[in-house]
Amino acid sequence: MMNKQIIVSLLMVLFFAGGCGLKSDVRVLKLGHSLDTKHSVHIAMEYMAKRVEELSDGKLKIDIYPSGVLGSERESLELLQLGSLDLTKVSAAALEGFVEEYKVFGLPYIFADQQHAFSVMDGPLGKEILSKGEKYWLQGLCFYDAGARSFYSSRPIRKPEDLSGLKMRVMPSITSFAMIRAMGGSPTPISWGELYTALQGKVVDGAENNPPSFYLSHHYEVCNYYTLNEHTRIPDVLLMSTHALKKLDDQEKEWLMQAVRESVTVQRKEWMKSEKEALESLEKEGVEIIIPDKQPFRDAVQSVYDLYEDNEELSALIERIKAAETNTEAAMDSSSVEPVNEEETKN
C-alpha cells in the first residue's frame, strides 16, 4: 500500500512538473514557408531566428518549417489570419487577393531599377504598404529581394513583337495577364509544379521568372533562350499574424524587428550571389542570354496601367512610387550627400 502511494505521488509530481515546463518563460514563434532550404530567403530567416535567440538570451525563439510542410502560400496566409501560424513568407503577388496595395508590385516597370525598388521598399512608402494588411490580420515586417522577372522560351525574344502568338505561363494575376496580352502573347496560368512538363509538351512556349528560379527549376533544359528584359520586380514579404504580434511585449517586438532588419541585409547578399551563380550556370548549360533594349518593352505595356486608372488609391500610390525614382536620382546626383556605409544602405 505504501509503495502504491509513493508511485502515485511521484506521478503527480512529474505531471505538475511537466505542466510547469509547458508554462516556461520561452516564447516560440512558428514560421512556415514554401521555399527550399538552400534559398536565400530561408538562409536569411535562419539567421533571423539565430539572432532573435541571441538578442533575447533564449527567451524568444523562431521555429522554421520550410518546403511547404505547413501548406501553400495561400494556406499559410489563411493560417496567419486564424492565428494558427505566427509568421510566413509569401510573394507579394500572393497577397494581391488579400491586400489591394500589393498589386502595384506586379505592374511592369513600376521600378526603374533595383536602386529605385529598394528605396521604395526600405522607405516610408514600403512601411506604409506593409501596414496595410493589419486590418486583415496580416502585418508586414519586411521585403526580401526576389530579383527581376524576365522571359524565357524555346524561341528567342529580342523585342515585344517576338511574343506574338506565344503561349506564356503567368501567375494567376490580372496584371500579369494584361502585360502578356499588351505584348501580343497569350497568357496561360499553370501551377509552378506542372510547368516543366507543360514546357516540355509545348502546352506553353515559355514563361517568366528570375535567374535562380529559372536555373533551379531546370526549365533551361526545354527553354534555350533567356531574355533579361526585367519587366517586374515582385518582392517576397515576411508577414506576422496580428494575433501573434499582440502577444509580444515591447521588448520582444524590439528583439524581433532588429533581427528582421539584419536578415534583410543577409538575404540581399545571398540573393546577389545566387543570381550571379545562376546566370553563369545557365551559360554553361548552353542557354543564350539575351540583353535587349528595354524601352520597347516599357512602351508596349503602358496600357496595363489603365487597369487602375479608376482606382484613386492605387493610382495615387503608383504616382508616389514613380516620384520616388526622381527623389532617388536626385539623392544620388547630389554632391552634398556624404558617402554612406554600404551595409547601412541595405537596411
Side-chain angles (χ1 to χ4, degrees):
M1 186 71 177
M2 183 65 69
N3 287 339
K4 186 176 180 181
Q5 287 178 334
I6 292 171
I7 291 170
V8 171
S9 298
L10 285 171
L11 288 172
M12 291 297 288
V13 168
L14 288 171
F15 175 80
F16 284 112
C20 291
L22 292 173
K23 297 178 182 177
S24 70
D25 292 332
V26 178
R27 190 188 298 278
V28 180
L29 301 173
K30 288 192 298 181
L31 191 167
H33 68 83
S34 58
L35 298 172
D36 183 87
T37 54
K38 295 179 182 178
H39 196 283
S40 62
V41 170
H42 178 80
I43 293 170
M45 291 191 294
E46 279 193 321
Y47 173 87
M48 175 180 67
K50 179 184 175 184
R51 285 295 289 141
V52 159
E53 190 168 354
E54 288 174 351
L55 291 165
S56 67
D57 290 326
K59 295 176 184 176
L60 184 62
K61 295 184 178 182
I62 299 174
D63 286 346
I64 303 175
Y65 301 85
S67 305
V69 294
L70 298 184
S72 65
E73 288 197 336
R74 184 174 184 84
E75 288 167 341
S76 294
L77 288 170
E78 291 170 350
L79 287 173
L80 253 67
Q81 290 181 313
L82 292 170
S84 301
L85 183 64
D86 302 313
L87 297 152
T88 192
K89 187 292 310 172
V90 300
S91 167
L95 281 161
E96 287 188 14
F98 293 81
V99 186
E100 190 175 50
E101 284 77 6
Y102 284 97
K103 290 178 179 178
V104 296
F105 292 111
L107 285 166
Y109 300 106
I110 185 72
F111 298 118
D113 52 29
Q114 184 188 71
Q115 181 68 32
H116 178 204
F118 286 173
S119 71
V120 170
M121 294 175 200
D122 298 343
L125 256 176
K127 290 183 175 67
E128 185 179 317
I129 294 171
L130 289 171
S131 70
K132 291 295 183 179
E134 185 178 358
K135 58 186 174 183
Y136 305 107
W137 306 283
L138 302 169
Q139 176 62 54
L141 300 183
C142 72
F143 293 104
Y144 288 129
D145 187 17
R149 299 174 74 92
S150 296
F151 293 121
Y152 54 88
S153 176
S154 55
R155 285 193 265 164
I157 298 171
R158 305 183 192 281
K159 54 187 184 299
E161 292 79 9
D162 292 335
L163 273 85
S164 180
L166 294 185
K167 290 176 289 183
M168 301 296 290
R169 181 267 179 180
V170 294
M171 293 183 288
S173 158
I174 294 173
T175 314
S176 297
F177 273 64
M179 177 184 70
I180 298 299
R181 287 195 182 111
M183 293 188 236
S186 177
T188 307
I190 292 175
S191 70
W192 180 251
E194 297 173 357
L195 182 51
Y196 185 98
T197 304
L199 288 165
Q200 191 177 42
K202 303 298 181 183
V203 175
V204 288
D205 301 298
E208 46 90 49
N209 219 313
N210 55 55
S213 294
F214 179 34
Y215 176 67
L216 294 172
S217 63
H218 289 264
H219 291 171
Y220 62 84
E221 293 174 354
V222 284
C223 290
N224 304 120
Y225 300 93
Y226 192 32
T227 305
L228 296 180
N229 65 307
E230 300 183 326
H231 46 263
T232 52
R233 291 182 178 274
I234 303 175
D236 283 335
V237 188
L238 179 65
L239 297 138
M240 186 169 192
S241 167
T242 57
H243 303 293
L245 189 60
K246 287 175 183 176
K247 294 176 184 177
L248 301 186
D249 60 34
D250 289 344
Q251 180 62 76
E252 289 171 325
K253 290 175 184 176
E254 188 177 322
W255 289 329
L256 176 62
M257 288 312 299
Q258 182 176 335
V260 167
R261 288 191 294 270
E262 291 180 18
S263 76
V264 172
T265 301
V266 171
Q267 191 271 331
R268 287 182 184 172
K269 283 183 178 179
E270 289 292 329
W271 179 264
M272 286 176 64
K273 185 169 69 174
S274 66
E275 198 169 68
K276 182 174 180 291
E277 289 172 353
L279 287 170
E280 289 173 350
S281 297
L282 287 168
E283 285 190 315
K284 288 178 183 176
E285 293 292 342
V287 174
E288 181 181 341
I289 308 294
I290 300 168
I291 302 176
D293 178 2
K294 294 179 187 176
Q295 193 56 48
F297 288 91
R298 288 193 183 97
D299 294 339
V301 297
Q302 287 309 300
S303 61
V304 178
Y305 287 79
D306 296 341
L307 288 171
Y308 304 119
E309 63 180 356
D310 295 329
N311 187 318
E312 291 184 11
E313 289 187 12
L314 284 186
S315 292
L317 183 56
I318 290 166
E319 291 306 312
R320 290 170 66 194
I321 289 173
K322 288 180 177 179
E325 178 191 354
T326 305
N327 295 337
T328 302
E329 290 174 350
M332 291 175 68
D333 292 340
S334 175
S335 59
S336 62
V337 177
E338 294 183 4
V340 180
N341 182 282
E342 183 181 353
E343 294 300 320
E344 293 176 353
T345 62
K346 295 178 181 177
N347 288 328

